């Protein structure tokens, strides 16, 4: 049995997700591509296809880090520039904290910022809330995955370019790489993978924190074409540095290929040394945007809450993208076993070809 047959079998048996698409590219050549299951099951059962558009969730962070690396390569600031130099109009409380936080720390999740906070439960703007909840937000943990790191990187991009984040994305990433589908939502409800039924998971997270919000989306209907992430939808109007992008697998794969193909890195305007640093374990199993873990054997990658993942195997220059709609069911579960099985299969065969 070859790689394609093994991957086909894994997808056929992937009952933990309603549907998925998988693509493997090596040295700019597609070596595997397949779709399985359904893009949505309610109200209609629609087949998954290679053209299905997904809410890519935290894979948005990789797009954000790619934009940041382009700005650094362009000389706009440096990896070790601190936030007070880039977001300088903030109050004294924030300035005292921003002096201690660098771009490097945000990219590697080593800033010590709170991992998550539902900003939509308060009427004040982002920086007012960061000031108000200062003791909770700036908690000084060493390395801890935090949406706040990439929310702030989004603000850095806006401040540095003088453009809204969506406009900066279009100019810095979408147009140079000729991405056809990647865009911030909402997107047209055509061939789109549905996600959660309302925001039930975040409803529970807010309840656990005793935080009140009364504008939740309907929990009887699946989200389709609207971003799943609560902060992005309710607070940031669909556009943020940590979540919000939609794309088909081809466009997501092209983002991953920036880190394996020098000509795409050049199109993205990123210096070779930052491509190398992105794929280097620099602190706490983190590179510049990427993660190192057992889910990504012999390489690095990133996952997204909606069931997405990007895996880069640097020694063979293989890029593996798995997009699923794991949240589009009554009891969504962790799919790291599925991700790992796919990645290990790709590694095993690509090392021998």
């Amino acid at each position: 049995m070859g790689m394609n047959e093994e991957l086909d079998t894994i997808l056929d048996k992937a009952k933990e997700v309603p549907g998925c698409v998988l693509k493997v590219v090596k040295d700019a050549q597609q070596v595997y591509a397949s779709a399985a299951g359904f893009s949505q099951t309610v109200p209609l059962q629609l087949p998954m296809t290679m053209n299905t558009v997904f809410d890519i969730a935290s894979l948005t962070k990789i797009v954000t880090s790619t934009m940041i690396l382009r700005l650094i390569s362009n000389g706009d600031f440096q990896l070790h520039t601190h936030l007070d130099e880039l977001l300088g109009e903030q109050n004294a409380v924030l300035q005292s904290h921003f002096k201690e936080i660098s771009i490097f720390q945000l990219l590697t999740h080593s800033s010590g910022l709170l991992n998550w906070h539902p900003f939509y439960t308060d009427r004040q703007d982002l920086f007012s809330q960061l000031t108000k909840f200062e003791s909770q937000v700036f908690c000084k943990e060493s390395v801890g995955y935090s949406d706040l790191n990439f929310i702030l990187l989004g603000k850095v991009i806006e401040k540095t370019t003088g453009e809204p984040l969506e406009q900066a994305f279009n100019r810095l990433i979408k147009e140079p790489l000729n991405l056809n589908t990647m865009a911030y939502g909402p997107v047209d409800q055509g061939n789109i993978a549905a996600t959660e039924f309302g925001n039930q998971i975040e409803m529970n997270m807010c309840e656990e924190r005793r935080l009140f919000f009364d504008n939740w989306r309907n929990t009887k209907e699946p989200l389709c074409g609207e971003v799943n992430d609560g902060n992005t939808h309710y607070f940031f109007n669909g556009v943020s540095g940590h979540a919000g992008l939609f794309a088909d697998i081809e466009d997501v794969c092209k983002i991953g290929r920036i880190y394996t193909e020098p000509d795409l890195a050049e199109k993205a305007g990123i210096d070779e040394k930052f491509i190398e640093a992105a794929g280097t374990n620099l602190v706490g199993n983190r590179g510049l945007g990427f993660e190192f873990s057992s889910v990504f054997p012999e390489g690095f990658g990133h996952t997204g809450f909606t069931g997405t993942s990007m895996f880069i195997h640097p020694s063979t220059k293989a890029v593996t993208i798995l997009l699923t709609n794991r949240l589009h069911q009554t009891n969504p579960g962790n799919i790291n076993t599925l991700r790992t099985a796919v990645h290990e299969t790709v590694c095993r065969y690509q090392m021998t070809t």
Side-chain angles (χ1 to χ4, degrees):
M1 186 184 290
M3 183 185 80
N4 287 12
E5 290 79 11
E6 279 202 37
L7 291 175
D8 284 344
T9 300
I10 291 170
L11 296 193
D12 288 342
K13 292 181 177 178
K15 304 306 179 190
E16 59 266 65
V17 295
C20 59
V21 292
L22 174 62
K23 185 180 181 78
V24 183
V25 171
K26 181 180 179 182
D27 293 325
Q29 299 298 313
Q30 178 177 293
V31 295
Y32 182 86
S34 185
F38 300 97
S39 61
Q40 63 181 73
T41 59
V42 177
L44 298 172
Q45 196 172 69
L46 301 176
M48 191 72 80
T49 74
M50 293 305 297
N51 297 319
T52 299
V53 170
F54 287 78
D55 173 350
I56 66 170
S58 282
L59 293 190
T60 300
K61 292 182 173 75
I62 296 302
V63 179
T64 298
S65 62
T66 302
M67 285 193 272
I68 289 287
L69 294 181
R70 174 167 183 158
L71 294 174
I72 294 172
S73 297
N74 194 49
D76 290 294
F77 48 81
Q78 298 178 334
L79 268 178
H80 293 287
T81 300
H82 286 77
L83 275 184
D84 64 309
E85 300 173 53
L86 300 169
L87 301 174
E89 80 285 2
Q90 302 309 320
N91 61 56
V93 171
L94 288 185
Q95 284 292 78
S96 67
H97 290 292
F98 285 175
K99 283 180 181 177
E100 304 296 323
I101 298 173
S102 69
I103 295 297
F104 175 88
Q105 289 173 310
L106 295 177
L107 286 170
T108 57
H109 292 281
S110 58
S111 65
L113 288 168
L114 181 69
N115 65 338
W116 181 78
H117 181 79
F119 291 103
Y120 50 83
T121 60
D122 193 295
R123 295 183 183 276
Q124 292 182 297
D125 65 28
L126 175 66
F127 293 112
S128 297
Q129 288 195 56
L130 292 180
T131 305
K132 179 179 178 180
F133 301 115
E134 172 200 9
S135 61
Q136 297 166 248
V137 170
F138 300 97
C139 45
K140 302 299 180 190
E141 294 175 3
S142 53
V143 177
Y145 183 80
S146 169
D147 282 350
L148 264 173
N149 289 316
F150 279 76
I151 289 171
L152 288 173
L153 286 172
K155 296 302 179 185
V156 166
I157 292 167
E158 292 184 327
K159 185 72 173 175
T160 302
T161 62
E163 300 169 303
L165 184 58
E166 184 171 14
Q167 195 173 322
F169 159 72
N170 289 337
R171 181 175 62 84
L172 296 173
I173 300 294
K174 182 166 184 167
E175 292 164 10
L177 293 174
N178 193 27
L179 303 178
N180 294 317
T181 64
M182 188 172 284
Y184 289 98
V187 294
D188 292 338
Q189 293 190 14
N191 186 7
I192 297 172
T195 58
E196 199 178 355
F197 291 81
N199 281 115
Q200 297 181 58
I201 295 170
E202 289 197 30
M203 289 170 76
N204 291 332
M205 292 168 72
C206 287
E207 188 175 338
E208 288 167 3
R209 291 163 174 77
R210 297 182 179 179
L211 294 170
F212 177 75
F213 185 63
D214 63 358
N215 196 30
W216 296 108
R217 289 175 282 189
N218 188 348
T219 57
K220 291 183 170 58
E221 296 179 1
L223 302 177
C224 191
E226 278 189 0
V227 63
N228 198 93
D229 181 82
N231 273 324
T232 306
H233 176 71
Y234 300 114
F235 192 73
F236 291 113
N237 199 29
V239 181
S240 181
H242 75 290
L245 284 170
F246 288 76
D248 67 7
I249 199 163
E250 176 69 22
D251 281 359
V252 178
C253 195
K254 196 173 279 189
I255 296 296
R257 288 167 55 203
I258 291 170
Y259 296 90
T260 63
E261 298 175 29
D263 62 325
L264 280 180
E266 187 176 341
K267 281 185 180 179
I270 302 175
D271 191 284
E272 183 182 350
K273 66 183 177 183
F274 297 120
I275 294 292
E276 185 177 341
T280 302
N281 189 345
L282 299 169
V283 54
N285 292 324
R286 294 280 170 183
L288 301 180
F290 287 105
E291 175 190 8
F292 293 78
S293 76
S294 59
V295 176
F296 308 113
E298 303 168 23
F300 53 90
H302 208 287
T303 62
F305 188 69
T306 53
T308 58
S309 58
M310 173 186 293
F311 169 49
I312 296 171
H313 192 252
S315 63
T316 60
K317 300 191 182 306
V319 175
T320 303
I321 307 298
L322 175 64
L323 305 179
T324 84
N325 53 354
R326 77 167 187 100
L327 295 179
H328 185 54
Q329 53 190 326
T330 306
N331 295 302
N334 187 302
I335 62 165
N336 279 346
T337 300
L338 171 62
R339 289 166 170 153
T340 304
V342 167
H343 299 160
E344 286 180 345
T345 301
V346 171
C347 280
R348 191 164 66 252
Y349 283 96
Q350 293 310 306
M351 289 298 285
T352 60
T353 58

